[in-house]
Amino acid sequence: MTEKVSKEYATLLLAFIAGISLNGSFNALFDSVIAFSIFPLIALGFSIYCLHQRYVTQPMPEGTPMLAFSCFLLGLFLYSAVIRAEYAGMGSNFLLTIICVALVFWIGYKLKITTRHKAVKQMD
């Protein structure tokens, strides 16, 4: 049981890193306020490659694609919120912060439900 849960967490972490890397790459390429760096592009390539390899080699448990997409969105919004907090001239980060908090609570709620559901299936 713990092996399946850890594999699910790895997929969610890769989706989160892909979201952060995508937003970081976009900002590094197209935003003049943020200095250019090649590292978000490298991280984006590696995270997308690893996600693709996981998708091809292992079946995803039920509910994982929606959780992975929400982790991807969390990475996108969290990076934007942090950058806007650092560079106040880019705008407010209030809405992004509220969205991030809501996504964190939703992901936590869904993870607790899926682990409970798996535990009940194991006991049967």
Side-chain angles (χ1 to χ4, degrees), residues 57-72:
T57 59
Q58 302 168 356
M60 283 191 175
E62 184 180 340
T64 303
M66 185 59 124
L67 283 171
F69 181 69
S70 59
C71 285
F72 177 77

Side-chain angles (χ1 to χ4, degrees), residues 18-75:
I20 288 176
S21 302
L22 180 67
N23 203 344
S25 299
F26 182 79
N27 283 339
L29 292 174
F30 299 114
D31 200 356
S32 62
V33 177
I34 298 169
F36 176 76
S37 177
I38 193 77
F39 296 112
L41 295 168
I42 294 170
L44 178 63
F46 281 144
S47 62
I48 296 297
Y49 176 74
C50 289
L51 272 174
H52 181 264
Q53 289 299 319
R54 290 185 72 77
Y55 177 74
V56 169
T57 59
Q58 302 168 356
M60 283 191 175
E62 184 180 340
T64 303
M66 185 59 124
L67 283 171
F69 181 69
S70 59
C71 285
F72 177 77
L73 287 179
L74 179 65

Side-chain angles (χ1 to χ4, degrees), residues 3-15:
E3 185 178 326
K4 289 183 180 178
V5 173
S6 67
K7 288 180 182 176
E8 184 178 347
Y9 288 149
T11 303
L12 299 181
L13 181 64
L14 282 171

